[in-house]
Amino acid sequence: SQQGEEDPQALSIQEGENATMNCSYKTSINNLQWYRQNSGRGLVHLILIRSNEREKHSGRLRVTLDTSKKSSSLLITASRAADTASYFCVLIYNQGGKLIFGQGTELSVKP
Amino acid sequence: EPEVTQTPSHQVTQMGQEVILRCVPISNHLYFYWYRQILGQKVEFLVSFYNNEISEKSEIFDDQFSVERPDGSNFTLKIRSTKLEDSAMYFCASSGDRPSSGANVLTFGAGSRLTVL
């Protein structure tokens, strides 16, 4: 399968805690992106990490990529209730430009 | 901030009817996409479009589906004869990046929910 496998499928935390979501994949990628989807809404791009990068930061987001283990993680620090959403690991392969979405992690941040 | 706009937000149709979903991509973007998400399931790629032709399509995008850019601003998805299993949220997206650039970030619309009865 070309899609990423995300873990956990659902995560419930308290406001202020950190949330970590993981993504594993099977075939070498060109880049990996994380998108967010609020319930019933559109998808919003969060961050892109290229295959030759190991870590990227954007505000409270930190993404790591380990190409030897074929895995990535998304860390949201000091979570807020507004971070409640589904988070998708999205893979882009060398041979094409289409984005392949994983199943997503449903994050619930309780105030 | 530039947006991708989709209409209608929700459409209910009878099985066998034709449906056209409309999208206005970001004005200086050149690459256009349709994705769909059946309720509770993953987001699935349907088709990509560039330079007035399909660049790539998935196995879902069969002869019942077609895309068109009828003018300089709209990008449409037509389902010729809808089936129950076509019920889903359909997302349009656009990008200013070449797919081969390795930095292909998509801007998505809010989606059009299609319900087939």
Side-chain angles (χ1 to χ4, degrees), chain B residues 1-9 21-27 34 73-75 90-94 107-112:
Chain B
E1 179 147 346
E3 285 185 341
V4 174
T5 307
Q6 289 187 241
T7 55
S9 57
L21 305 178
R22 292 183 168 79
C23 170
V24 179
I26 292 174
S27 61
W34 284 100
S73 59
N74 289 287
F75 179 50
Y90 288 81
F91 292 105
C92 173
S94 69
T107 302
F108 283 84
S112 292

Side-chain angles (χ1 to χ4, degrees), chain A residues 3 30-31 33 35 37 40-43 45 48 50 88 97-99 101-103, chain B residues 35 37 41-43 45 56 89 91 99 101-106 108-110 113:
Chain A
Q3 71 181 63
N30 183 282
N31 69 67
Q33 303 180 30
Y35 282 75
Q37 183 181 33
R41 306 290 298 278
L43 297 136
H45 174 258
L48 177 154
R50 294 176 190 265
F88 294 91
K98 66 184 180 190
L99 277 61
F101 282 75
Q103 294 278 13
Chain B
Y35 284 77
Q37 185 180 33
Q41 297 188 25
K42 64 180 180 177
V43 178
F45 169 77
E56 190 174 3
M89 182 75 96
F91 292 105
S101 70
N104 190 20
V105 173
L106 269 57
F108 283 84
R113 182 171 297 284

Side-chain angles (χ1 to χ4, degrees), chain A residues 10 12-13 18 27-28 41 48 68 78 88-89 91 104:
Chain A
S12 182
I13 59 174
N18 295 342
T27 313
S28 294
R41 306 290 298 278
L48 177 154
S68 65
F88 294 91
C89 163
L91 307 176

Side-chain angles (χ1 to χ4, degrees), chain B:
Chain B
E1 179 147 346
E3 285 185 341
V4 174
T5 307
Q6 289 187 241
T7 55
S9 57
H10 188 192
Q11 178 153 0
V12 181
T13 189
Q14 295 290 327
M15 195 168 56
Q17 295 295 306
E18 177 183 282
V19 159
I20 297 176
L21 305 178
R22 292 183 168 79
C23 170
V24 179
I26 292 174
S27 61
N28 61 348
H29 282 183
L30 297 176
Y31 301 89
F32 312 115
Y33 304 81
W34 284 100
Y35 284 77
R36 79 170 186 192
Q37 185 180 33
I38 295 171
L39 187 64
Q41 297 188 25
K42 64 180 180 177
V43 178
E44 300 174 293
F45 169 77
L46 292 178
V47 66
S48 58
F49 190 89
Y50 168 69
N51 202 25
N52 282 323
E53 60 182 30
I54 290 173
S55 308
E56 190 174 3
K57 60 183 181 180
S58 71
E59 57 274 10
I60 302 168
F61 195 88
D62 61 22
D63 292 343
Q64 292 299 314
F65 290 88
S66 62
V67 288
E68 199 178 32
R69 190 155 160 82
D71 53 44
S73 59
N74 289 287
F75 179 50
T76 61
L77 174 69
K78 182 193 289 187
I79 308 175
R80 199 159 295 120
S81 176
T82 50
K83 308 187 197 84
L84 295 176
E85 54 265 36
D86 293 328
S87 293
M89 182 75 96
Y90 288 81
F91 292 105
C92 173
S94 69
S95 174
D97 304 305
R98 288 190 328 275
S100 59
S101 70
N104 190 20
V105 173
L106 269 57
T107 302
F108 283 84
S112 292
R113 182 171 297 284
L114 176 65
T115 302
V116 183
L117 302 176

